[in-house]
Amino acid sequence: AWLGYREKPLEALFVFEKPTPVKSVMLSIGRNLGGYIFPPASIEVWAGNDRTKLQLMQKLNPVQPTQNEAVRIEAIETKVKEGSYTFIKVIARPVAKLPEWHGGKGQPAWVFVDEVFFN
């Protein structure tokens, strides 16, 4: 099942029963440029052992397409400071305005996510 976000970002808080070793977070995303589904404009990973004091571990700005491409599913991996965490928050922001070359130029893009992996 896919979750789609267009005008607001994906914000997901993952809670582990006890501190869990994590060195990367991977999002499985859909790409269907004709359907306005683009990679996220940015991905942030926050982590910590106190829900109210999470620290930004990584911010990634995925490469954006410059022309139409085939529909596909891909993984975007974000390295984080290796450690053991109880809370991990992932924020994936959609592209605010589709590029000039796109038929829907100026409209907001979608971000589709179906899985999040912790390694």
Side-chain angles (χ1 to χ4, degrees):
W2 292 93
L3 297 176
Y5 298 84
R6 188 170 189 207
E7 294 178 6
K8 294 186 178 183
L10 156 70
E11 288 192 36
L13 179 66
F14 299 89
V15 181
F16 301 100
E17 288 184 24
K18 59 183 180 179
T20 302
V22 176
K23 58 184 174 185
S24 71
V25 177
M26 188 181 310
L27 273 67
S28 172
I29 66 160
R31 286 174 74 122
N32 180 349
L33 305 184
Y36 298 23
I37 303 169
F38 273 59
S42 67
I43 299 169
E44 295 176 10
V45 178
W46 297 74
N49 292 312
D50 180 336
R51 173 181 261 160
T52 63
K53 295 180 183 173
L54 299 179
Q55 295 180 0
L56 179 61
M57 295 290 148
Q58 184 65 266
K59 181 174 181 179
L60 176 70
N61 297 312
V63 174
Q64 295 298 312
T66 58
Q67 61 185 15
N68 278 323
E69 8 177 281
V71 174
R72 67 181 191 257
I73 297 170
E74 70 179 28
I76 299 177
E77 185 173 22
T78 306
K79 303 285 185 193
V80 298
K81 179 181 172 187
E82 197 167 338
S84 293
Y85 306 107
T86 306
F87 301 97
I88 297 181
K89 183 176 184 178
V90 176
I91 302 172
R93 289 180 170 47
V95 170
K97 292 183 178 182
L98 291 168
E100 288 293 318
W101 58 264
H102 193 275
K105 65 183 174 186
Q107 295 185 47
W110 286 91
V111 169
F112 273 33
V113 177
D114 70 338
E115 294 181 289
V116 178
F117 300 95
F118 302 95
N119 299 307

